[in-house]
Amino acid sequence: MKPTRAPQTYRVKSFGCQMNVYDGERMGELLAEQGITPAAEGEEADLVILNTCHIREKAAEKVYSDIGRLVAAGKEKGKAPLIAVAGCVAQAEGEEIMARAPAVSIVVGPQAYHRLPAMIAEATRGRRATDTDMPAIAKFDALPARAKRGPSAFLTVQEGCDKFCTYCVVPYTRGAEISRPFNDLIAEAHRLVEQGAKEITLLGQNVNAWSGEDDKGRRVGLGGLIRRLAVIDGLERIRYTTSHPKDMDDDLIAAHGEVEKLMPYLHLPVQSGNDRVLKAMNRQHSAESYLKIIEKVRAARPDIALSGDFIVGFPGESEAEFADTLKLVDEVRYAACFSFKFSPRPGTPAATMEGQVAADVMDDRLQRLQARIAAHQLAFNEASLGKTCTVLVERRGRHPGQWLGKSPWLQSVHFTGDHAIGDLVEVELAAAGPNSLSGRVRTAVAV
Ligand code: 5AD
Ligand code: SF4
């Protein structure tokens, strides 16, 4: 590699989960500290970071085709960008990327990106740099203060996973479960609110496995952290994602009934409604124990919107076992869901299990599951009609005078009027579709 000029502008392309979105923002803040600014819309950046996801499908292939596209565009313009591959594909396949893609200058894993400035300096000297170490807390300590963003902000409180579901790469790419310290989180939340955040979504691969010591030295779980965050003036809404049923403790459930700022929404993946499949997935819960949690959560917060993740076509899944998933969907009546075809991930136990399900069978099951989920989603939205709720204004809509925001139940709501991003407005929900609602503004809420 030849030495190059130090980059002035960057672009981060994040794939996959919200954690990657958060990491992408943090990398941007780190680069800003070095005087590297975001490339203007439509302009080529000097540094492109592909912040990758490894959870499903041919993620690595997508990365190689993105790299190919960047190289071709660079040749055309006579100016190739520095290319960095970050995220979970970098963690899982860093060495192969370096071997296969000479255009890549930097490979940086999700726990090492605080070292980006040093790696960029290496790369500009013509030396390729790789770091896939996993000292996660060191990363947070090395990051700069939060920059100004929109009214809804992410805050990573926990990373990694010790659950080892047999289909999942996360325990390998993100490492063991770690919780960021209580005081660091309170400080970062204050900073976000000072920068204009009205809503904070707490992030973690197993966010409800978070635990720490509060400012009085007591051991607390996520419920305790939420209760403390709720006293921050100016913070109006708290959400969290993604949870594991095993870590859904009573205090967190009680917080749903007690903490007004905690929004009535819970994303609690179940993956399957069949106990044999759940066992083969190593989920550590049964359909019944999952439903029991849902019952408790609903008792604490009757209007709660529930969402889940599902995998169809896990190895060995029979038609009858799949039917149990449909049954569970009907029992829970989810407000929203994410559903996927099983994707064999290299290195995970499920990838080599007997009874891999044929693609056409998976397609058919996914279609049926998604139709069922869509019906429940529409029913949930229709049941909201006539309610007046607070909507956080997040952005302008497509039509003049139109605004878009989220209801407490995380529904997208559009409405018109004289508002500003970050306003909280009282909206009467007037019409419902499967993916959004429209409403009439009642009054603006003073905050
Ligand atoms: N195949 C299909 N879906 C998967 N997920 C995780 N790993 C796989 C896989 N190998 C899904 C799960 C998880 C969500 C984030 O992605 O439903 O909850
Ligand atoms: Fe993956 Fe299971 Fe951990 Fe979720 S709980 S990140 S699905 S191993």
Side-chain angles (χ1 to χ4, degrees):
M1 247 178 71
K2 279 190 282 190
T4 70
R5 200 169 63 100
Q8 312 284 307
T9 60
Y10 74 89
R11 185 158 59 83
V12 181
K13 190 169 171 191
S14 284
F15 302 84
C17 66
Q18 286 150 325
M19 184 81 80
N20 264 12
V21 176
Y22 176 90
D23 289 348
E25 290 176 1
R26 299 299 263 148
M27 285 188 247
E29 288 160 8
L30 194 60
L31 297 174
E33 220 188 22
Q34 309 291 312
I36 309 175
T37 54
E41 194 72 43
E43 212 169 80
E44 298 299 318
D46 300 335
L47 166 69
V48 176
I49 301 176
L50 301 173
N51 192 21
T52 59
C53 169
H54 202 230
I55 201 135
R56 283 177 297 274
E57 306 299 327
K58 301 173 180 74
E61 294 314 311
K62 273 190 221 149
V63 178
Y64 289 114
S65 66
D66 265 357
I67 295 168
R69 228 171 294 139
L70 286 168
V71 171
K75 273 198 188 125
E76 209 171 277
K77 299 209 164 63
K79 181 189 143 208
L82 269 184
I83 302 175
V85 180
C88 291
V89 178
Q91 188 68 37
E93 300 188 13
E95 272 175 37
E96 289 98 299
I97 294 170
M98 278 299 192
R100 236 180 96 176
V104 172
S105 303
I106 295 170
V107 163
V108 60
Q111 310 303 7
Y113 64 76
H114 56 293
R115 292 204 54 249
L116 257 178
M119 299 174 84
I120 293 168
E122 281 280 289
T124 53
R125 274 183 234 121
R127 285 199 292 266
R128 304 171 89 198
T130 303
D131 193 337
T132 49
D133 280 355
M134 285 207 175
I137 291 290
K139 168 183 76 183
F140 291 109
D141 287 344
L143 293 172
R146 299 306 308 268
K148 202 169 180 67
R149 304 247 162 221
S152 182
F154 290 135
L155 171 54
T156 291
V157 305
Q158 182 279 343
E159 274 199 79
C161 181
D162 297 339
K163 306 290 188 293
F164 289 92
C165 298
T166 52
Y167 50 81
C168 187
V169 285
V170 167
Y172 311 97
T173 57
R174 291 272 174 171
E177 287 177 6
I178 60 112
S179 295
R180 291 182 64 196
F182 184 90
N183 290 335
D184 292 6
L185 297 171
I186 303 299
E188 191 169 327
H190 271 286
R191 177 83 191 163
L192 286 167
V193 172
E194 280 159 23
Q195 301 284 12
K198 298 269 171 63
E199 172 177 275
I200 292 182
T201 301
L202 309 176
L203 296 182
Q205 264 94 28
N206 271 284
V207 71
N208 58 340
W210 182 89
S211 77
E213 223 173 67
D214 71 6
D215 32 13
K216 299 191 179 68
R218 291 173 306 208
R219 197 90 217 140
V220 286
L222 190 68
L225 178 64
I226 288 170
R227 286 170 208 272
R228 173 61 185 81
L229 289 168
V231 304
I232 297 178
D233 268 348
L235 176 59
E236 304 299 329
R237 295 176 152 198
I238 302 169
R239 303 181 183 277
Y240 63 94
T241 199
T242 290
S243 298
H244 190 286
K246 202 177 156 219
D247 296 315
M248 210 60 220
D249 65 37
D250 286 345
D251 183 57
L252 180 56
I253 294 175
H256 275 283
E258 292 162 13
V259 181
E260 218 180 300
K261 292 182 182 177
L262 180 57
M263 291 295 101
Y265 186 96
L266 173 64
H267 180 64
L268 195 63
V270 61
Q271 316 297 354
S272 164
N274 176 270
D275 286 346
R276 190 202 64 79
V277 174
L278 287 170
K279 196 155 197 318
M281 288 177 165
N282 190 32
R283 285 290 297 176
Q284 306 173 53
H285 61 78
S286 62
E288 198 190 324
S289 66
Y290 177 85
L291 291 170
K292 187 89 207 144
I293 297 167
I294 299 292
E295 199 182 301
K296 281 203 219 168
V297 173
R298 279 204 163 120
R301 182 77 205 225
D303 69 334
I304 198 152
L306 294 160
S307 89
D309 287 345
F310 291 90
I311 297 177
V312 301
F314 186 80
E317 183 188 67
S318 68
E319 175 57 31
E321 288 167 344
F322 170 67
D324 285 343
T325 298
L326 295 177
K327 195 167 135 232
L328 183 136
V329 166
D330 288 343
E331 279 188 62
V332 177
R333 305 181 313 279
Y334 289 96
C337 276
F338 302 91
S339 49
F340 313 101
K341 288 183 274 187
F342 170 72
S343 163
R345 308 315 294 143
T348 61
T352 50
M353 279 180 186
E354 300 272 299
Q356 299 286 324
V357 174
D360 58 334
V361 175
M362 282 207 262
D363 285 337
D364 173 63
R365 288 184 189 163
L366 188 67
Q367 247 179 36
R368 284 151 66 203
L369 175 61
Q370 290 186 339
R372 195 70 69 97
I373 289 167
H376 286 294
Q377 193 167 322
L378 181 62
F380 184 88
N381 287 348
E382 284 176 345
S384 314
L385 294 180
K387 281 189 193 169
T388 296
C389 65
T390 308
V391 172
L392 175 60
V393 183
E394 289 184 3
R395 58 189 167 91
R396 285 185 179 277
R398 246 178 299 151
H399 307 294
Q402 193 188 44
W403 296 90
L404 272 176
K406 292 273 168 29
S407 77
W409 307 281
L410 207 63
Q411 297 150 302
S412 288
V413 181
H414 44 90
F415 47 94
T416 54
D418 188 15
H419 310 293
I421 289 170
D423 282 354
L424 285 159
V425 289
E426 288 286 296
V427 175
E428 184 186 336
L429 301 173
N435 298 315
S436 66
L437 294 117
S438 63
R440 279 187 290 268
V441 174
R442 291 300 200 189
T443 51
V445 186
V447 288

